[in-house]
Amino acid sequence: MAFKIAVVGYGSAGQQHVEVLRDLGGAELYCVVESNLEVDTGELPRQYSLQDVLADQKVDAVALCLPPGGRSNLAHEALAAGKSVLLEKPPCRTEAELDLLLNATQVANRSIGIMFQHRYRLFDEILNFTWDESTTAILEVSRPRNPERYFTSWRQDPMLSIGGITAHLGVHYMDLACLLLGLPKEFQQIGRRDFMPGIDMRVAGAVQFSGGSTMAFVVTGEVESRSERLNILGRDIRLTIQDGSITIEKGGELRHYSSEPTSLMRKRLYEDFVSAAINQEQPKRCSLESGRGVTRLLENIAAKAVKND
């Protein structure tokens, strides 16, 4: 019997989840939960009440594709109803919120994961690299957006959106940096431009990680060119992740791995999540705990914005 998943919210993220579930062995879309009557879900099976879905014993898991500001509360409700949970990014507003959710996961004995699909570009060798205090990293993310068109509806509300370009478009490569370099220890904001209070269009800063490595970064939606690049310079290793491709320079050898489709990365993530949920384990690569680093960093960036207002 296939593992049944309800996708909650049918915006751009929800539509991406549905596409993955069209061709995922061992799992299937049970329904889309969308209360907004103006949203067209076509021929997809649809329900309007999340509470009805949580009470449905045929549903094994929910993918929460709703604004991040209220997502944690819904995740608690889903776990209490015996469902595994897949969270869209960013997973939580604060590290304290993440800890409460982890505790609820243990009590419910269910799985919880985060839609950080770019992690699945990293093979085991990369995850086993050691980055010490000599390591320096540079992160640049440019994802051009027209703010008048992009920041509409809930994206204008800092409490619901928990930020702007950085929290929603820079978050993927910031997550990769935290996954590889460890937990952020200190954050300094160098520059910031907001579309409106609490909603950034550009953030530049520097991070020191717990292992001693440092990273300078800029995330912007203000320029026309698109680029996502994380360059990590270690004592004897250089790792570059750029627009999905990977370059490794080690021991005088240079290796390059071409980018694979993001849709394939989402499929790999779903396979990891579904396997874990069936076995009542936590996912190997997209676990909630592994999102602690980027959650802490985004929380610090948001705190700087409030302080500067």
Side-chain angles (χ1 to χ4, degrees):
M1 183 178 297
F3 187 85
K4 294 178 172 56
I5 301 175
V7 173
V8 185
Y10 197 60
S12 58
Q15 292 169 31
Q16 291 168 353
H17 284 247
V18 168
E19 284 304 309
V20 176
L21 290 169
R22 291 186 190 279
D23 183 31
L24 190 70
E28 64 182 29
L29 175 69
Y30 183 73
C31 70
V32 169
V33 184
E34 179 54 70
S35 60
N36 187 346
L37 298 177
E38 296 181 359
V39 175
D40 182 9
T41 57
E43 300 300 318
L44 295 172
R46 177 173 182 167
Q47 296 202 34
Y48 297 88
S49 167
L50 176 59
Q51 298 308 315
D52 289 346
V53 170
L54 295 183
D56 190 335
Q57 296 301 309
K58 294 188 289 294
V59 177
D60 298 300
V62 295
L64 296 178
C65 305
L66 297 170
R71 209 156 46 206
S72 179
N73 292 337
L74 298 178
H76 279 278
E77 293 180 22
L79 290 167
K83 315 301 182 188
S84 291
V85 176
L86 183 58
L87 297 165
E88 256 299 332
K89 49 73 185 169
C92 297
R93 291 177 297 179
T94 65
E95 197 172 354
E97 189 175 272
L98 183 144
D99 284 329
L100 289 173
L101 200 47
L102 283 171
N103 290 337
T105 302
Q106 291 181 347
V107 171
N109 193 28
R110 289 296 182 267
S111 305
I112 189 165
I114 317 167
M115 183 49 83
F116 278 140
Q117 64 268 18
H118 292 286
R119 293 180 175 189
Y120 291 80
R121 301 188 185 281
L122 309 180
F123 38 90
D124 290 343
E125 178 189 4
I126 294 174
L127 295 172
N128 290 328
F129 285 158
T130 299
W131 306 104
D132 60 20
E133 67 280 355
S134 68
T135 300
T136 300
I138 302 171
L139 171 67
E140 74 171 42
V141 177
S142 174
R143 298 285 297 274
R145 290 294 185 275
N146 181 325
E148 300 295 339
R149 290 203 298 264
Y150 185 70
F151 294 117
T152 59
S153 184
W154 59 269
R155 292 187 186 277
Q156 290 187 347
D157 185 343
M159 292 301 295
L160 286 177
S161 66
I162 70 170
I165 295 296
T166 304
H168 290 273
L169 302 179
V171 63
H172 282 292
Y173 271 57
M174 297 182 90
D175 171 68
L176 292 181
C178 294
L179 187 69
L180 294 169
L181 299 176
L183 290 174
K185 182 180 178 182
E186 295 181 13
F187 164 70
Q188 290 184 323
Q189 182 171 281
I190 299 171
R192 178 185 177 108
R193 280 170 55 88
D194 282 356
F195 170 65
M196 57 190 300
I199 306 295
D200 66 87
M201 281 296 292
R202 183 186 72 201
V203 174
V207 185
Q208 182 175 8
F209 295 90
S210 55
S213 60
T214 58
M215 180 178 77
F217 75 88
V218 61
V219 179
T220 180
E222 292 188 306
V223 299
E224 291 185 4
S225 62
R226 171 170 175 157
S227 173
E228 293 176 295
R229 176 183 172 93
L230 173 62
N231 197 29
I232 305 179
L233 306 172
R235 193 182 301 273
D236 58 356
I237 306 172
R238 174 175 69 87
L239 170 66
T240 302
I241 307 170
Q242 182 168 7
D243 300 327
S245 67
I246 294 174
T247 301
I248 299 171
E249 184 177 3
K250 183 179 181 181
E253 179 186 5
L254 191 66
R255 290 176 283 156
H256 181 77
Y257 304 87
S258 298
S259 175
E260 296 180 289
T262 302
S263 58
L264 178 58
M265 301 303 106
R266 293 191 188 102
K267 183 177 181 180
R268 289 177 182 171
L269 186 150
Y270 253 100
E271 289 170 344
D272 185 7
F273 171 72
V274 170
S275 175
I278 290 173
N279 293 296
Q280 294 185 306
E281 302 170 342
Q282 296 310 312
K284 291 181 174 61
R285 192 166 296 189
C286 65
S287 67
L288 180 61
E289 173 60 45
S290 64
R292 181 178 299 278
V294 73
T295 300
R296 179 182 296 182
L297 182 53
L298 290 176
E299 183 178 2
N300 275 276
I301 290 172
K304 290 284 187 181
V306 171
K307 184 177 181 181
N308 292 339
D309 283 345

